[in-house]
Every structure is written in C-alpha cells, then in structure tokens.
Amino acid sequence: MADPSRPVTGYPAQSYPPPPTTAANPNPNPNGVGYPYPAAPQPPYPYHQPYPNNHPNPNYAYPYNYDASRATFLRRLIAAMIAFFIISASIIFIIWLVLRPRLPKFRVDSLSLTNFNTSSSPAISGNWAVGFSVYNPNKKMSITYDELDSDVFYKSAFLSETRISPFTQGTRTQTAINATFSAANSYVDDWVVKGIDADRGRGTVNFNVRVLARVVFRTGGWRLRRRLLRVLCENVGVGLSSSSGSGKLVGGARECRVGI
C-alpha cells in the first residue's frame, strides 16, 4: 500500500486508444496496447530515384547515380593504350630482328708525336696525329656520325682535345679519319710528368685516345633515334726516347672498344 505522506514523483501513466479497426486489418493490435507515436512516413519516391526539381527541400542530397558509360569509356581507353604499347613494341622488335643493327668498329692505325716536351714541369707540350679506320659491319643500315669529339689522355690525366669532321658510312664500308691534337705548356699534375719521364726512360709511352660521336642508323626512309657512341682506344704505345721529342706508333694497329 502506498504511503500517502511521500511526494508524488514521475509522470502519470497515460493510456492511448487502440488503432482503429479496418476491413483490411480487423485486428491491428492483438495485445490491446496503443502506440503513442504514429509510424514514420514513407518517402513518396523510391531511394534509387531522384526527387523532381520542384522538391520542397532544396538541401535534399540526391542518391549517388553510378555512371556506367564513363566507367566503360575508361576501361576501353586503358585497354587501347595497352594494346598500342604492345603492338608498337612488337613492331620495333621485329624490325630489330630483320635489320640487326650492329655497332661500328674503330681501330688506331697510326699515331705520331712531335715536339713533345715535359721540361717545363708541371706542364707538357706536344702534337699528336692519330689515324683511325672505321668499319660499318651492317648489311642493311648506313651510319651517320655527327658532333665527333676526341681526347687524348695519359692514363686518367687529360692532355688535349679536338673535333673531327662529321661523315656518313654506307653498308659494309670502311672509312679513314684523322684527329690532330696540340698542347702548349698545358698544366698537368706532377705525377703525370714523372710517369711520362719514367716511361720515356723505358722507350715507350702509352696514351689513351677517346672518341665521342652522335650516330644515327638509317635504312631507306626509316632510322633509329640518335645515340651517343663511345670509343676508347687504350694503351696506344708511342716509341719515345728520353732525348727525343718525336715518336711513332709501336706494336701495330690497336683495336678500340665501342659502346652506346
């Protein structure tokens, strides 16, 4: 039994009338319990369809509509790019197999040195004249040589440089080219002069000659892109005594290393 002296707390219980009985639903609430709130209203349009332009809520966020045509276009574009790359690579590979481009061959046939002097240490003077023979081994491709630069070294020490006239070689042909170098009291490190003087005492001084050229391989109206050709002729010996400032190539012609 409730104590009448205690204060009343909470809200009084409220009863709600049961929902009305209709012909479609003769027993809407079998438990006889009323519902305090009506059911949420359903949207007038399905969720996958956008509302018309005159919708009363201007801030309504329309559901995402997947653009299938754009995705199809992107897939076709990527597939076309991949196919183009594969076809281009295949064509280039087939052309390479047919033409078989080969690097030219360089050889030092002659080398003469005049007015060579190391007395004004640490500097040297001298004139080099180098004769090369260049052979194109390709059966179907000619070679054009542009921007030819050549250098002469003692071991790794630079001594002099020069330019060589550009030229073009036909298939299976050999061409003779010449390069002349000059140094007049050019500064070098002290170890260079000491090494050259020691080699002169033994009768032979070895020099290294390098050639750099821009080359293009051609056949008919088709050509490969320009490449940098590197040629290195190592240990080219010159007979040079300690009392003479002139000498010539010893040991015969010297084959050079060629690379791109």
Side-chain angles (χ1 to χ4, degrees):
M1 182 175 181
D3 187 358
S5 62
R6 294 181 60 184
V8 177
T9 60
Y11 296 95
Q14 298 181 7
S15 62
Y16 299 92
T21 301
T22 63
N25 190 6
N27 189 13
N29 188 6
N31 297 324
V33 178
Y35 293 92
Y37 303 104
Q42 296 296 323
Y45 297 93
Y47 70 93
H48 61 275
Q49 295 181 359
Y51 278 83
N53 295 332
N54 58 354
H55 188 268
N57 184 4
N59 297 323
Y60 174 75
Y62 292 101
Y64 177 72
N65 186 17
Y66 180 72
D67 192 349
S69 61
R70 180 178 299 178
T72 302
F73 171 76
L74 291 177
R75 286 196 299 268
R76 291 179 178 176
L77 178 62
I78 294 174
M81 293 175 63
I82 295 175
F84 175 77
F85 175 78
I86 294 175
I87 293 173
S88 300
S90 301
I91 292 174
I92 294 174
F93 180 69
I94 292 172
I95 293 175
W96 182 86
L97 288 178
V98 173
L99 299 179
R100 294 278 184 164
R102 298 171 60 187
L103 295 178
K105 297 180 180 180
F106 278 70
R107 185 182 66 204
V108 174
D109 288 336
S110 63
L111 192 153
S112 62
L113 178 60
T114 58
N115 300 323
F116 190 72
N117 185 10
T118 59
S119 60
S120 56
S121 179
I124 63 169
S125 299
N127 299 307
W128 294 261
V130 183
F132 298 94
S133 64
V134 184
Y135 177 67
N136 177 14
N138 293 284
K139 297 180 180 179
K140 301 179 180 180
M141 305 191 73
S142 63
I143 306 177
T144 299
Y145 301 82
D146 293 323
E147 302 177 11
L148 286 90
D149 297 308
S150 186
D151 313 275
V152 60
F153 296 83
Y154 174 77
K155 296 182 179 179
S156 61
F158 171 81
L159 301 180
S160 182
E161 65 179 347
T162 190
R163 299 292 300 271
I164 302 175
S165 299
F167 64 98
T168 299
Q169 263 190 316
T171 59
R172 293 290 185 96
T173 58
Q174 182 165 304
T175 305
I177 60 175
N178 297 297
T180 57
F181 307 85
S182 179
N185 291 326
S186 298
Y187 171 80
V188 293
D189 292 332
D190 188 60
W191 68 267
V192 176
V193 175
K194 292 180 179 180
I196 291 176
D197 289 340
D199 291 342
R200 291 178 71 177
R202 290 186 286 268
T204 302
V205 180
N206 291 323
F207 296 96
N208 298 325
V209 183
R210 183 181 65 177
V211 179
L212 300 176
R214 297 285 181 180
V215 297
V216 178
F217 293 82
R218 302 174 185 268
T219 176
W222 186 83
R223 70 173 190 173
L224 293 175
R225 65 184 180 90
R226 297 181 70 191
R227 302 272 188 146
L228 177 62
L229 187 74
R230 299 177 175 87
V231 181
L232 181 60
C233 311
E234 298 179 290
N235 298 323
V236 182
V238 177
L240 192 65
S241 65
S242 57
S243 59
S244 173
S246 300
K248 292 185 177 182
L249 178 69
V250 296
R254 179 76 59 177
E255 297 290 338
C256 306
R257 291 190 297 162
V258 182
I260 287 183

